Amino acid sequence: MITWNLLAFFLVHMSFSKPHTRAFPIADFNDKLKTAEWMVAYDSAAWRMSELVTHVDNDLLARMGREWFCFRGADSLWNGVYGKYKDGKYDLVIQYRIEASDSIKIVEEKPDSIMLISISKAINAAYTEAGLRLGKSYVRFNKFIRYQPGHISIWLLPALQPNEIALYGGEFYYRFDHTGEKILERQEYFQGFKGFRFGKGREVKLEYEAAAAPPLGAVYFALQYRDQFKGVQIETRENISVLSFNQLKGYYWEHKEKDLRKIVN
């Protein structure tokens, strides 16, 4: 017969032997995945329309600033607005639309001027806020704009750098009120930039020691550059997520929790 002392020993031993983990935040991850998929679509539309902008006359180019952005109209079609905000007004130079046929056309009707001004203010404020964290930096960023009733959301993530180097380690999110002047919410992550040159035969690991779960920028990195690497692993303080590919499953995610007892604070 097992004595109570021996039974207690076994129970304590089992307790210490069993890994101490925190359940992977799958709901939060799926929300980020949905936003990252929207970002990939945004970036694709922005790249296609911005490529056309490079061919316009120099005098028109001179009238454009960083206050350009994309948005989906009521018909769900992507629009690209290019111009500059100055002295309380938005100088609209050109607007494109990707039609349902996938062709790109110039839009004649002007978008809502209040939207143009509010988003312009928010864009400039977002860059200013991020700059306070970054300091002097030569890293190029992509911006993602989502205009919704009552507020404006802006994400700033590292763009693809020269020589096909993909960066991670810094990302900024700001949610503004409808005027683009008041910040309602902010999420900033900056631990220094790291990067990888494209290579389809290599697996890359994004390290986020200061994060408990994969940040949005990491999920976007994996989706955006998944064709450029053999696999993308995201390692945070509490878990590991891997985006892989095979002929049977296609692209798929796997998540694994870390033993929290092994984490050194």
Side-chain angles (χ1 to χ4, degrees), residues 229-244:
F229 302 107
K230 185 178 180 180
V232 180
Q233 175 178 309
I234 305 168
E235 181 170 358
T236 69
R237 187 172 65 250
E238 297 183 4
N239 43 64
I240 297 174
S241 300
V242 181
L243 178 62
S244 303

Side-chain angles (χ1 to χ4, degrees), residues 26-42 72 78 146 148 155 215-216 219-220 223 253:
I26 190 64
D28 176 72
F29 180 85
N30 286 337
D31 286 341
K32 291 174 179 175
L33 183 59
K34 185 176 180 180
T35 300
E37 289 170 344
W38 168 81
M39 286 179 164
V40 170
Y42 186 109
R72 269 183 167 150
W78 283 105
R146 179 172 273 174
Q148 295 172 302
W155 293 266
L216 174 62
V219 181
Y220 169 77
L223 289 186
W253 286 95

Side-chain angles (χ1 to χ4, degrees), residues 175-186:
R175 183 166 64 90
F176 295 84
D177 69 353
H178 67 283
T179 68
E181 297 176 346
K182 182 180 180 181
I183 297 178
L184 304 177
E185 180 185 358
R186 70 170 67 220

Side-chain angles (χ1 to χ4, degrees), residues 29 202-204 222-223 225-227 229-234 240-255:
F29 180 85
R202 65 186 302 194
E203 296 182 355
V204 297
L223 289 186
Y225 303 123
R226 61 187 179 184
D227 293 333
F229 302 107
K230 185 178 180 180
V232 180
Q233 175 178 309
I234 305 168
I240 297 174
S241 300
V242 181
L243 178 62
S244 303
F245 175 86
N246 65 35
Q247 295 296 332
L248 182 62
K249 296 182 179 180
Y251 286 101
Y252 63 97
W253 286 95
E254 291 182 310
H255 308 288

Side-chain angles (χ1 to χ4, degrees), residues 19-245:
H20 291 182
T21 62
R22 185 173 289 117
F24 184 81
I26 190 64
D28 176 72
F29 180 85
N30 286 337
D31 286 341
K32 291 174 179 175
L33 183 59
K34 185 176 180 180
T35 300
E37 289 170 344
W38 168 81
M39 286 179 164
V40 170
Y42 186 109
D43 184 74
S44 176
W47 185 88
R48 292 182 61 191
M49 290 184 281
S50 297
E51 179 67 19
L52 295 179
V53 170
T54 62
H55 300 294
V56 303
D57 294 338
N58 288 333
D59 59 331
L60 295 180
L61 283 174
R63 288 170 52 197
M64 299 182 190
R66 68 181 178 187
E67 299 90 352
W68 69 270
F69 61 93
C70 298
F71 69 94
R72 269 183 167 150
D75 51 11
S76 295
L77 298 178
W78 283 105
N79 290 257
V81 173
Y82 298 86
K84 182 183 294 185
Y85 175 73
K86 187 177 181 180
D87 299 329
K89 297 180 180 179
Y90 191 88
D91 178 20
L92 177 62
V93 178
I94 196 167
Q95 179 180 348
Y96 292 111
R97 177 184 296 139
I98 301 178
E99 301 290 338
S101 63
D102 206 39
S103 61
I104 301 178
K105 295 184 179 180
I106 295 177
V107 179
E108 298 297 337
E109 64 270 20
K110 293 184 177 181
D112 178 32
S113 60
I114 294 178
M115 177 186 74
L116 296 178
I117 293 173
S118 297
I119 291 179
S120 294
K121 291 180 179 179
I123 288 173
N124 288 325
Y127 275 105
T128 298
E129 292 295 323
L132 296 176
R133 287 291 305 275
L134 286 170
K136 187 175 182 180
S137 174
Y138 296 99
V139 171
R140 299 190 308 187
F141 277 80
N142 283 335
K143 61 181 181 290
F144 301 86
I145 316 296
R146 179 172 273 174
Y147 183 77
Q148 295 172 302
H151 64 271
I152 302 164
S153 295
I154 297 183
W155 293 266
L156 300 177
L157 300 178
L160 183 64
Q161 307 300 305
N163 299 317
E164 295 188 326
I165 296 177
L167 295 184
Y168 77 97
E171 56 186 87
F172 305 88
Y173 166 72
Y174 305 98
R175 183 166 64 90
F176 295 84
D177 69 353
H178 67 283
T179 68
E181 297 176 346
K182 182 180 180 181
I183 297 178
L184 304 177
E185 180 185 358
R186 70 170 67 220
Q187 296 175 17
E188 301 170 319
Y189 181 94
F190 182 56
Q191 293 292 316
F193 294 107
K194 300 177 183 178
F196 306 97
R197 195 184 303 276
F198 283 172
K200 295 186 177 182
R202 65 186 302 194
E203 296 182 355
V204 297
K205 180 169 70 172
L206 314 184
E207 299 177 301
Y208 287 87
E209 301 90 348
L216 174 62
V219 181
Y220 169 77
F221 182 106
L223 289 186
Q224 181 69 293
Y225 303 123
R226 61 187 179 184
D227 293 333
Q228 306 301 331
F229 302 107
K230 185 178 180 180
V232 180
Q233 175 178 309
I234 305 168
E235 181 170 358
T236 69
R237 187 172 65 250
E238 297 183 4
N239 43 64
I240 297 174
S241 300
V242 181
L243 178 62
S244 303
F245 175 86

